Amino acid sequence: ERWRELNRRVIAGETLRDEADPFVRADGTTLWLRWEARPWAEADGVIGGLVLFTEDITARRQTELALEVSRSRLKLALQSGHVGTWNWDLVTGAIECDEAMAGLVGRSSLDFARGGAEFFDACLHPDDRAAVQEARARAMREGGEFAATYRFVRGDGSLVWISDRARVERAPAGEPLRPCIIWADQRATAQSDAVCAAYGEDAIYRLTGLRASPSYTAAKLLWIKEHQPELFRRAGRADPHATVLRARR
């Protein structure tokens, strides 16, 4: 009945398309089709029928669905584990954090963006502030990983314990650029989706052996290139195991 209605509309002059249309076969398996139906006309302009273009995208759609499930599970895991992500731009001083992180500490992401490190330090428990600042300074001085456990004063005045881990990225002259983007950070979803749209999940998998994902290095590098182009230009290479921009030599 659905296809009869689509046929009637195309014969009436419409062009119809569907980017991912499931078709259930007799054996119960699902075939995913991308299709477009256009009317064709006689020399006198009278519509004589329709032309249907179809593409089997089953493999790609199955990969997309698996990725959606993976993202959903990761989001649930982050929520269940009370995990948030943040990025401190050591050039501009701004701190970016996701809503999960902002919710954990009872502050808004705008507070961090405007206040930067000064706002962050002001929210640290006075007894923990010096240790956190020293650990941060050591990471910036020596490179490598920053790790600290501290109490953070929430917006309502209550305290929350935070276990924090980050990595400093360094510029050619040796000065730190920015902490790395951890694997669980999903900020590069738009970049990952754009790559999928441009090249297709199947082609990406054949080339890399991996599904396109905002968790992986390539998407995160694209995010840095788009949102922090100056930092990207100052970098020389990337460490794929830690999503760290390395200095030019």
Side-chain angles (χ1 to χ4, degrees), residues 15-242:
T15 295
L16 302 176
R17 63 179 59 86
D18 196 316
E19 294 299 317
D21 194 9
F23 179 80
V24 181
R25 304 184 196 184
D27 62 2
T29 59
T30 299
L31 183 71
W32 287 89
L33 299 175
R34 177 185 181 186
W35 59 265
E36 179 176 293
R38 292 175 173 269
W40 62 267
E42 303 284 0
D44 58 4
V46 176
I47 295 176
L50 62 84
V51 178
L52 180 65
F53 303 92
T54 62
E55 177 186 359
D56 184 349
I57 60 167
T58 303
R60 189 188 79 188
R61 185 56 180 156
Q62 287 174 341
T63 303
E64 291 172 348
L65 292 173
L67 183 58
E68 289 174 8
V69 171
S70 178
R71 287 176 178 168
S72 178
R73 289 175 177 171
L74 177 58
K75 183 178 180 180
L76 180 61
L78 292 175
Q79 292 173 341
S80 301
H82 301 289
V83 176
T85 61
W86 60 272
N87 169 65
W88 180 20
D89 187 332
L90 300 179
V91 175
T92 66
I95 293 179
E96 299 175 3
C97 69
D98 60 19
E99 291 304 315
M101 183 64 184
L104 284 175
V105 298
R107 304 283 182 169
S108 73
S109 56
L110 188 59
D111 290 335
F112 288 99
R114 289 175 174 173
E118 291 185 4
F119 174 78
F120 177 87
D121 287 350
C123 294
L124 292 171
H125 189 282
D127 293 343
D128 300 332
R129 187 174 298 133
V132 172
Q133 291 174 332
E134 171 56 29
R136 187 173 65 205
R138 183 169 58 253
M140 292 171 62
R141 183 174 61 252
E142 301 174 1
E145 187 175 277
F146 162 80
T149 299
Y150 53 84
R151 287 163 290 183
F152 198 91
V153 182
R154 295 167 56 88
D156 60 5
S158 62
L159 294 176
V160 59
W161 280 94
I162 299 293
S163 178
D164 208 346
R165 299 178 72 89
R167 181 178 293 275
V168 175
E169 296 170 359
R170 310 191 73 85
E175 71 272 18
L177 281 178
R178 64 185 304 284
C180 75
I181 303 175
I182 67 171
W183 179 87
D185 192 307
Q186 297 292 287
R187 75 184 66 191
T189 297
Q191 288 70 29
S192 177
D193 290 345
V195 171
C196 288
Y199 300 100
E201 285 279 359
D202 294 344
I204 293 171
Y205 186 82
R206 287 195 300 269
L207 181 64
T208 68
L210 298 169
R211 298 195 304 269
S213 170
S215 297
Y216 295 144
T217 301
K220 287 178 166 59
L221 290 176
L222 287 174
W223 184 93
I224 294 174
K225 183 178 181 181
E226 292 178 18
H227 293 271
Q228 299 173 334
E230 180 58 32
L231 298 185
F232 189 85
R233 283 193 293 270
R234 294 169 63 185
R237 65 185 179 87
D239 179 349
H241 302 294

